[in-house]
Amino acid sequence: MSLGNQIRNLRKSRHFTLQQLAIAVEADAGNLSRIERGELGVSEALLRKIAAALDTTPATLYAQSDAMNTPYSLPTASLPLTAELQRSTYQAAPVLPQNQPSSKDFVQWFRSATPYIHAFGGCTFVIAFGGEIVDEKQFITLTHDLNLLASLEVRLVLVHGARPQIEKRLKRDKLTPTFHNGLRVTDDEAMEAVKEANGAVRVEIEALLSMAIANSPMAGADIRVASGNFVTAKPLGVLDGVDLQHTGEVRKVDAVSIQKRLNDGELVLLSPLGYSPTGEVFNLSLEDVAVSTAIALDADKLIFLMDSEGVQNLRGELLREMTADKAKNLLKNVSGNENPLHVSEDTLYYLPAAVRACEHGVARTHLISRHIDGAIIQELFTLEGIGTMVTELPLETMRQATIDDVGGILKLIEPLENEGILVRRGRERIEMEIAHFYVMEHDNHTIGCAALYPFSENKMAEFACLAIDPQYRGGGRGDKLFNYCQNQAKTLGFKQLFCLTTRTEHWFLERGFSQQSVEKLPQEKQKLYNFQRKSKVFIKSL
């Protein structure tokens, strides 16, 4: 069931007309109708208003809308915490439907995760999330993923927010929140609410991380949490004539002290608060603390849990990967668009933070949905991920192959050899000819290969053995690898490229090759020509 259908069903069960709901959330009834039909996306802010009007939470709407497509029985975010703990205890083993994954699928997935398990041991991850995760009782399931990462010896630093908790306390004390350019103006009274809210959130997180319930994902957990005055802050001061008072920004992160805690096997928990040498406390933004901490620790990964599924472009397409430069271009286009429908409020907070992190040496920043159970595991331990990953440099690179690439090359070409598309080569031959091969890598995985065999006397080179991993076909990678090899051939002084093929003649014709006779090949290659295979000859001038 889609999110729009879930909103419609819940609205009708609450006996709301579309017009009544539109008035309650201060939105256009026509747009609400399009949202319910799935023709229009819903922003985080509007979803919160809809959830409040329907007496539920955004997490519950997401969970119930995904229920029809979820293979496991998951805890519902709207359950009281005690009920959730009971379900965690008594439903530790997932309840699988009849179409459960086979043992073979599970083994294959687990094996495919092995490289990541090896890679992550000893790495430092900074994971940042808003106070909504605690407020909406989602942190209980997040602890399961954190416990798994901790068991793999990942060094964890958590940075939590507290915006909804602060808002509740301000409302309780009949205080009106004040913001300027998205920043809270924190006066003396608001600062008391900030300190109280952060303290309550931190204590609840520590309590949930202390669980070790038998027959649950937390069984045997021994997570020790460290928190303290690791962040030094300074006031933001006066912006555009507005005194932000106790609102500040990070001045320094005590990386040495945090590293000591991590070295002792502890999980470090940071609140969005900073302390000054004069003894003052400042209210900081979640993004500032998370990014500053990741930079100071030289973290391997920075992970933001957000309301949307990741970063979408202006057409509403989820962007699985993007460089910092592409992220800046997207933000520039958004700033010039009066109504960017598909760019969520969270994206505008977290994407600039991801850019800043990448530009200061953080290798990977991930933006993933907090509403998907196990989102961190799916993002980190699968090749395709589930959200958006931002990197400083492109993940796909091309280079000359080395002897260490032989196994990856064989894995790519053997299926094509079995189909008769490529001439069969053994490991020994690949090892001998490895200097002629070029590989395409995606995040350190070999996903493509090709070879250039030189015939220097004729100033010709043979383009051969082009193969792309099936999971990455259809994205123009064959062209990229061909163009790379073509440029290498030009650099090496060759005047012509030739290839022999039995199945892909049109591919080469479309790239400027023309069909020629065998006699046009170098004499040395003519002697090796297999007349039984009857490959067609294509030549291109460079």
Side-chain angles (χ1 to χ4, degrees):
M1 183 182 296
S2 68
L3 180 60
N5 284 333
Q6 179 59 28
I7 293 173
R8 179 193 292 117
N9 292 343
L10 193 57
R11 172 177 62 80
K12 291 183 176 179
S13 70
R14 299 285 194 272
H15 304 292
F16 269 74
T17 66
L18 199 60
Q19 189 63 42
Q20 287 172 330
L21 181 59
I23 294 172
V25 301
E26 300 176 340
D28 179 72
N31 284 341
L32 285 181
S33 177
R34 292 173 63 198
I35 289 171
E36 290 186 352
R37 297 196 305 269
E39 298 174 358
L40 183 66
V42 56
S43 68
E44 173 201 349
L46 180 56
L47 184 61
R48 291 189 183 284
K49 290 182 180 180
I50 292 172
L54 299 178
D55 193 26
T56 187
T57 65
T60 303
L61 287 171
Y62 272 108
Q64 293 179 357
S65 66
D66 291 339
M68 296 299 291
N69 299 319
T70 303
Y72 301 100
S73 178
L74 303 175
T76 305
S78 60
L79 289 172
L81 183 57
T82 54
E84 252 190 87
L85 286 173
Q86 291 173 359
R87 291 188 66 168
S88 295
T89 302
Y90 297 111
Q91 292 191 354
V95 179
L96 299 176
Q98 292 181 350
N99 61 341
Q100 67 184 47
S102 67
S103 298
K104 184 177 179 181
D105 292 336
F106 170 77
V107 170
Q108 185 177 357
W109 175 86
F110 202 73
R111 285 173 176 167
S112 69
T114 304
Y116 302 103
I117 295 173
H118 287 303
F120 294 158
C123 291
T124 300
F125 293 178
V126 177
I127 302 176
F129 52 89
E132 293 83 5
I133 283 187
V134 177
D135 191 50
E136 298 174 11
K137 310 302 181 186
Q138 291 179 308
F139 192 77
I140 181 70
T141 54
L142 180 58
T143 59
H144 302 161
D145 296 346
L146 298 176
N147 183 43
L148 175 59
L149 292 174
S151 70
L152 297 175
E153 299 183 351
V154 175
R155 298 150 61 92
L156 295 174
V157 179
L158 304 186
V159 183
H160 72 81
R163 183 182 289 257
Q165 291 83 356
I166 294 171
E167 295 297 325
K168 287 182 179 179
R169 282 159 176 78
L170 292 175
K171 186 176 181 180
R172 178 198 64 192
D173 297 336
K174 298 181 180 178
L175 299 173
T176 303
T178 306
F179 292 89
H180 177 68
N181 289 339
L183 295 170
R184 187 185 299 277
V185 178
T186 314
D187 57 21
D188 292 339
E189 292 177 315
M191 192 65 214
E192 291 303 314
V194 168
K195 290 190 284 188
E196 181 184 344
N198 277 287
V201 172
R202 188 179 71 249
V203 169
E204 185 167 355
I205 289 174
E206 290 175 350
L208 293 174
L209 288 172
S210 300
M211 290 192 306
I213 299 174
N215 299 323
S216 80
M218 294 297 287
D222 186 23
I223 298 176
R224 293 292 171 261
V225 183
S227 58
N229 58 340
F230 298 118
V231 180
T232 302
K234 61 183 179 180
L236 274 172
V238 180
L239 295 180
D240 304 324
V242 178
D243 187 357
L244 297 176
Q245 301 185 49
H246 298 290
T247 299
E249 62 181 340
V250 176
R251 180 178 178 181
K252 179 185 176 183
V253 175
D254 188 354
V256 174
S257 295
I258 293 177
Q259 293 284 14
K260 287 181 180 178
R261 305 305 193 279
L262 296 175
N263 292 340
D264 289 337
E266 297 180 345
L267 179 151
V268 175
L269 176 63
L270 301 180
S271 300
L273 295 173
Y275 307 91
S276 72
T278 59
E280 295 178 85
V281 183
F282 291 100
N283 181 28
L284 309 176
S285 72
L286 164 69
E287 309 89 73
D288 189 17
V289 175
V291 172
S292 299
T293 302
I295 293 171
L297 295 175
D298 192 21
D300 299 278
K301 289 186 181 293
L302 170 60
I303 301 170
F304 286 109
L305 296 172
M306 55 195 295
D307 277 296
S308 56
E309 60 181 335
V311 178
Q312 295 178 322
N313 59 22
L314 297 177
R315 298 187 298 275
E317 300 165 338
L318 178 63
L319 303 173
R320 294 290 188 189
E321 302 161 2
M322 59 194 316
T323 62
D325 286 339
K326 288 185 178 180
K328 286 190 286 188
N329 288 335
L330 176 62
L331 291 168
K332 182 180 179 181
N333 292 334
V334 169
S335 65
N337 193 315
E338 295 182 359
N339 187 28
L341 292 176
H342 302 291
V343 180
S344 68
E345 184 179 350
D346 271 5
T347 297
L348 298 179
Y349 283 126
Y350 296 142
L351 191 55
V355 171
R356 178 187 161 202
C358 288
E359 291 180 339
H360 286 81
V362 179
R364 304 278 190 273
T365 300
H366 302 260
L367 288 78
I368 58 179
S369 172
R370 68 181 177 92
H371 298 293
I372 300 174
D373 184 55
I376 289 180
I377 303 304
Q378 294 183 62
E379 175 70 10
L380 298 182
F381 292 93
T382 61
L383 188 60
E384 64 276 7
I386 196 172
T388 299
M389 179 164 62
V390 184
T391 61
E392 182 181 6
L393 299 173
L395 286 178
E396 290 187 1
T397 57
M398 286 172 284
R399 58 173 175 80
Q400 190 166 18
T402 68
I403 195 68
D404 294 330
D405 296 308
V406 171
I409 292 173
L410 284 171
K411 186 176 179 181
L412 289 171
I413 67 176
E414 281 177 350
L416 299 177
E417 290 174 349
N418 294 335
E419 293 179 28
I421 297 174
L422 294 179
V423 175
R424 190 169 297 278
R425 295 169 171 85
R427 174 178 289 271
E428 184 178 352
R429 181 178 172 186
I430 296 293
E431 290 177 352
M432 292 174 59
E433 298 176 348
I434 194 65
H436 302 312
F437 275 82
Y438 298 87
V439 293
M440 172 184 282
E441 288 186 318
H442 181 278
D443 200 15
N444 298 319
H445 293 272
T446 302
I447 64 168
C449 69
L452 278 180
Y453 294 104
F455 293 84
S456 301
E457 290 185 3
N458 304 83
K459 291 189 176 183
M460 297 178 73
E462 180 184 8
F463 179 72
C465 209
L466 175 64
I468 302 294
D469 188 310
Q471 294 186 60
Y472 291 89
R473 291 174 188 168
R477 292 178 175 85
D479 276 312
K480 292 179 182 178
L481 192 50
F482 167 71
N483 290 331
Y484 181 82
C485 291
Q486 182 175 245
N487 290 333
Q488 292 295 315
K490 289 179 181 178
T491 302
L492 293 170
F494 295 109
K495 300 300 182 182
Q496 288 182 309
L497 275 183
F498 71 87
C499 66
L500 280 70
T501 181
T502 58
R503 303 274 290 275
T504 56
E505 56 183 285
H506 281 260
W507 194 90
F508 289 102
L509 288 172
E510 292 167 4
R511 282 148 187 84
F513 285 80
S514 60
Q515 187 171 352
Q516 303 287 342
S517 65
V518 176
E519 288 73 24
K520 295 291 185 179
L521 294 174
Q523 286 293 327
E524 186 179 349
K525 186 65 180 178
Q526 290 184 40
K527 295 176 183 178
L528 298 174
Y529 183 81
N530 187 337
F531 284 93
Q532 289 184 329
R533 184 174 171 84
K534 294 183 180 179
S535 298
K536 294 182 180 180
V537 176
F538 293 88
I539 298 178
K540 178 181 181 179
S541 297
L542 298 178

